[in-house]
Amino acid sequence: MGEGVGVDGLVSMDSPIGVTGPVTAVNSDDDMTVLAQRARTVLASGRTALLTLPCERARGWVGMIDDGGEPLLMARADGRIAEAAQSGRRSWVDVPGHFGERLILTGTLRVVPGTTAQILSRLADLGRSVDPIDAVADGLAMLAVSVDEVVLCLPPADQAGRVRRWSTGAVGRRIDLATYAFAEPDLIDAYAPELIDHLNTRHAEQMCQLAGGGRTPGGDIAGAYVSGLDRYGMDLWRVDTTGAHPVRIVFDEPLGEPRSLGRELRRLLERAGRDAG
């Protein structure tokens, strides 16, 4: 494939990238609902995406934020991507998931009204974990894809949970657009890697307290490490004089969005402190 460097991080190409593997239909409504939720979760977890502009014969990685099922893309206001959006060009966006999923969203590229700061503020108010762009750079345009087709590619069953890249053997499943639109992402799953890293680096002492049943770190507890997080609870490893032991911390109620994790942890720590006393 011959390539030449383009603007906005895009590269020119001989042919656009699509779904190289087979695309199959989903068999039941229940399966469709589950896949739609997983697709929405993959989108919510994305921070970058591979944008393809078939009409421009170009593609490139861009910054991305989920906006209720539509990918918001960040590009220079005077660049090639923004120009394509102003012309209503057709595009598709590939979003990689944490576990080898590949979400492909197809539709018309358009410019989102409002300043970048206003858009980021609106998303933050909805509970989205939005990483601020450095000083919200001047001349940055926010673009969106008006999604009209959704395909979710899953890794082979024997590699589920272990794959960290797209698999050439993945089978694409086309998801009903209405089901996708009404599905809700699991935001705890989507932000789990960032939340786990935050807990282990910024709240190591509190994790030791939880793993030790409320006891102050020290004594026979050498440390604790969060290894998993979902809406129902946390998985930790407690390290003591006898070795490493798995600990499951169950939340009082399923978490709906990342901001609720801090409130739940405060309740758990207070309870653990009372029980230890």
Side-chain angles (χ1 to χ4, degrees):
M1 177 181 293
E3 296 183 347
V5 177
V7 296
D8 270 336
L10 295 179
V11 294
S12 300
M13 64 184 187
D14 294 331
S15 61
I17 296 176
V19 183
T20 56
V23 177
T24 64
V26 181
N27 294 328
S28 71
D29 290 341
D30 288 342
D31 289 341
M32 178 70 75
T33 300
V34 170
L35 285 175
Q37 184 188 50
R38 188 166 179 181
R40 290 291 304 273
T41 300
V42 169
L43 182 63
S45 71
R47 297 297 178 268
T48 59
L50 182 62
L51 172 67
T52 299
L53 297 170
C55 57
E56 302 284 344
R57 301 174 67 82
R59 70 174 183 270
W61 289 93
V62 293
M64 191 211 74
I65 303 170
D66 170 35
D67 185 15
E70 285 190 341
L72 288 186
L73 312 176
M74 291 162 276
R76 295 204 318 266
D78 60 351
R80 188 175 180 181
I81 300 176
E83 182 179 349
Q86 291 166 356
S87 303
R89 297 291 192 179
R90 189 157 182 78
S91 64
W92 71 69
V93 174
D94 293 74
V95 185
H98 293 319
F99 302 107
E101 307 100 329
R102 178 188 181 190
L103 177 64
I104 304 172
L105 303 173
T106 307
T108 302
L109 193 63
R110 71 179 195 279
V111 179
V112 179
T115 66
T116 302
Q118 290 170 338
I119 295 167
L120 293 179
S121 177
R122 173 175 61 82
L123 293 174
D125 288 342
L126 294 174
R128 302 293 193 259
S129 178
V130 179
D131 295 328
I133 303 166
D134 291 342
V136 187
D138 292 335
L140 194 65
M142 297 293 283
L143 316 174
V145 176
S146 299
V147 177
D148 57 28
E149 186 174 10
V150 180
V151 173
L152 178 64
C153 300
L154 301 175
D158 62 345
Q159 300 180 41
R162 297 188 290 108
V163 178
R164 292 298 186 273
R165 58 181 176 79
W166 292 339
S167 170
T168 56
V171 174
R173 291 172 170 81
R174 183 169 284 106
I175 297 175
D176 175 72
L177 198 58
T179 306
Y180 174 81
F182 283 105
E184 288 291 337
D186 183 338
L187 294 180
I188 302 302
D189 187 334
Y191 302 134
E194 295 151 309
L195 294 171
I196 289 172
D197 180 68
H198 178 78
L199 292 173
N200 285 326
T201 57
R202 300 292 185 89
H203 300 283
E205 182 175 336
Q206 289 92 332
M207 296 304 100
C208 283
Q209 288 180 258
L210 287 177
R215 295 188 296 275
T216 301
D220 63 347
I221 301 178
Y225 179 81
V226 181
S227 59
L229 174 68
D230 56 56
R231 64 172 62 187
Y232 303 104
M234 289 191 305
D235 295 310
L236 300 91
W237 285 96
R238 185 186 71 236
V239 181
D240 57 30
T241 55
T242 63
H245 309 279
V247 177
R248 175 68 175 176
I249 304 294
V250 179
F251 299 145
D252 286 348
E253 58 185 30
L255 304 183
E257 46 92 6
R259 289 179 298 190
S260 59
L261 176 61
R263 295 190 293 269
E264 182 64 21
L265 290 179
R266 284 192 291 272
R267 284 198 294 267
L268 289 171
L269 286 166
E270 290 172 359
R271 180 187 303 162
R274 291 194 301 269
D275 292 345

